[in-house]
Amino acid sequence: MKVLVVIDMQNDFINGALGTKEAVKIVDSAKAKIDSYLAAGDIVIYTQDTHTEAYLQTQEGQKLPVEHCIKGTPGWEIAQKVYVSGCQVIEKPSFGSIELAELITGMKEIQSIELIGLCTDICVISNAMILKAKMPEVPMVVDASCCAGATLEGHQNALYAMKTCQIEVIGGKDDDSV
């Protein structure tokens, strides 16, 4: 069985408080990837960045003072265009999710894990590194064409770091140049 992890494809990261034109551009390719996994009978898991009204008082909020993904707000919701009902959703209060790693570790006969989503240089890389540390022998892939970073430079740096840590990076303009 293959697992696709869709990281934080939420309204606030696409066209809301922290949205970017790069994030908007990946929505259709992310949806196509999700549909292909489901059509093959594989597993799709979503993560959902989840903050409270006290976000600005948190360490993250002190360093990134932009309220976003406040639970229950439209910005917190997974974008309707990419969400498929019935798939598991893991709410996470920070960049990476130990709960996600434990869930996947508990699954039987995992052939591979693929990650897509937002933001490459924050939450995608955090979850990829946690998963790689927890399951070093499971092949792991990040599809760069279905990811966007907070900045283009951050996106490229994160792809390079993941590739260096033996996470296969596909879908770039030139997969070997990342």
Side-chain angles (χ1 to χ4, degrees):
M1 135 179 59
K2 295 180 180 180
V3 177
L4 176 67
V5 181
V6 182
I7 305 289
D8 299 354
M9 289 293 292
Q10 294 163 262
N11 294 323
D12 269 349
F13 291 125
I14 297 171
N15 54 16
L18 294 171
T20 64
K21 64 182 189 310
E22 291 80 16
V24 171
K25 287 180 186 176
I26 70 160
V27 169
D28 290 337
S29 57
K31 176 62 168 141
K33 175 85 61 174
I34 292 162
D35 289 345
S36 72
Y37 267 75
L38 292 173
D42 291 317
I43 294 174
V44 174
I45 302 168
Y46 294 87
T47 67
Q48 191 171 25
D49 197 39
T50 302
H51 302 295
T52 68
E53 297 288 337
Y55 171 75
L56 294 176
Q57 283 72 52
T58 66
Q59 181 175 314
E60 179 184 331
Q62 299 287 311
K63 295 179 185 281
L64 177 63
V66 178
E67 284 189 340
H68 65 281
C69 299
I70 305 298
K71 187 170 184 166
T73 66
W76 171 73
E77 294 174 5
I78 296 170
Q80 201 169 22
K81 192 163 187 179
V82 298
Y83 180 66
V84 177
S85 180
C87 294
Q88 183 148 5
V89 177
I90 300 210
E91 294 179 15
K92 57 181 192 56
S94 186
F95 307 132
S97 174
I98 300 298
E99 181 183 351
L100 173 67
E102 289 171 349
L103 172 71
I104 295 173
T105 301
M107 295 177 177
K108 302 280 187 230
E109 300 178 28
I110 298 173
Q111 296 171 329
S112 65
I113 300 168
E114 184 168 358
L115 293 93
I116 63 172
L118 304 168
C119 295
T120 319
D121 47 340
I122 303 170
C123 294
V124 174
I125 191 170
S126 295
N127 284 286
M129 295 302 190
I130 290 168
L131 289 165
K132 189 66 175 173
K134 190 85 170 155
M135 296 166 275
E137 295 303 316
V138 175
M140 194 166 311
V141 176
V142 171
D143 186 341
S145 71
C146 295
C147 292
T151 66
L152 183 56
E153 181 181 20
H155 170 76
Q156 290 297 327
N157 287 341
L159 294 173
Y160 179 79
M162 288 184 282
K163 188 174 182 179
T164 301
C165 291
Q166 300 178 0
I167 296 168
E168 183 180 3
V169 175
I170 63 168
K173 291 177 185 169
D174 175 1
D175 290 348
D176 291 331
S177 69
V178 209

